[in-house]
Every structure is written in structure tokens, then in C-alpha cells.
Amino acid sequence: MNTVTTFYLSRVIGHKAFDTNRKCIGVVKDLLVDPESSTHSSGHPVVNGIKIKFKKKVAFYSFQNFHIEKVNGQTKVICDQLIELASDQINSNLYLVQSVLDNQIVDINGRK
């Protein structure tokens, strides 16, 4: 088991998230970041929230108590404690899957 701090978004989206007892809490649908913050040492925005779907219910939780593990080459999303995000936190963040994944990004100089 190896906890990671950087990972590919596509390796997490659509995979099950588990609690500390390895019980499934749902499927990861999206990650939320604050595009204005770059407090991580890498300069990348910090993940603030996670969108989880369980059965037909969608919920947003703080990513503070989540961690990503690599086990036998597989990426696992583990949660220590579920803390729901307030609606203002949900609305002020950028949804990575919805806004970035599979979209072509062009900078101000026209480079892709």
C-alpha cells in the first residue's frame, strides 16, 4: 500500500470509494478544485471536494479526509471521515471532469 499525492484524474473517476473498513461509500464522479489557489508545493490547485454517487444519490464531501492509495498497481480512494461540503463551497469550485477532462485547452497564445 502506497499513499500518493499526485495521480491521474482518469484513474480515480468512475472507481469506487471506500471507508476505512473497506465498505463502498459510492463511485467517484468528479473532483472539485479552487482555481484561484495554488497552495500545494507543486503549484497545482488543491483538491477541495469530491463528488460521490451512491445508488441514485449524489453528495459532495470535503477531500480533506480522503487519500489515494496504490495497491498492487490499482488506485484506491479511501475516506477516513465523511464531511459534507456547504453549497457555497460547492458552487465556488471548479469541477475537473465537467470543465477540464476531455476538453481541448488553449492558452492565450493559441497553443493547445
Side-chain angles (χ1 to χ4, degrees):
M1 175 175 60
N2 212 6
T3 301
V4 295
T5 56
T6 59
F7 53 89
Y8 288 106
L9 180 61
S10 59
R11 300 263 172 124
V12 174
I13 301 304
H15 287 80
K16 293 179 181 178
F18 300 92
D19 63 11
T20 53
N21 297 323
R22 303 293 190 225
K23 180 182 175 197
C24 180
I25 58 172
V27 175
V28 178
K29 291 298 184 182
D30 213 333
L31 296 179
L32 288 73
V33 297
D34 181 0
E36 301 298 319
S37 74
S38 59
T39 56
H40 192 269
S41 61
S42 67
H44 299 299
V46 175
V47 177
N48 292 331
I50 185 167
K51 179 180 176 183
I52 302 273
K53 183 175 181 182
F54 185 70
K55 297 184 180 176
K56 294 186 178 187
K57 181 185 174 203
V58 175
F60 295 88
Y61 299 108
S62 170
F63 198 74
Q64 178 181 354
N65 297 313
F66 280 82
H67 57 277
I68 311 295
E69 294 179 353
K70 279 227 171 185
V71 181
N72 298 327
Q74 297 285 334
T75 305
K76 302 256 185 210
V77 180
I78 310 294
C79 177
D80 299 327
Q81 179 183 8
L82 290 175
I83 299 173
E84 288 201 43
L85 286 179
S87 61
D88 63 325
Q89 290 175 305
I90 295 168
N91 297 330
S92 66
N93 283 292
L94 177 72
Y95 294 73
L96 289 179
V97 171
Q98 179 181 337
S99 302
V100 178
L101 194 66
D102 292 334
N103 287 313
Q104 190 173 63
I105 299 171
V106 179
D107 69 7
I108 59 172
N109 296 321
R111 285 183 267 179
K112 298 177 184 178

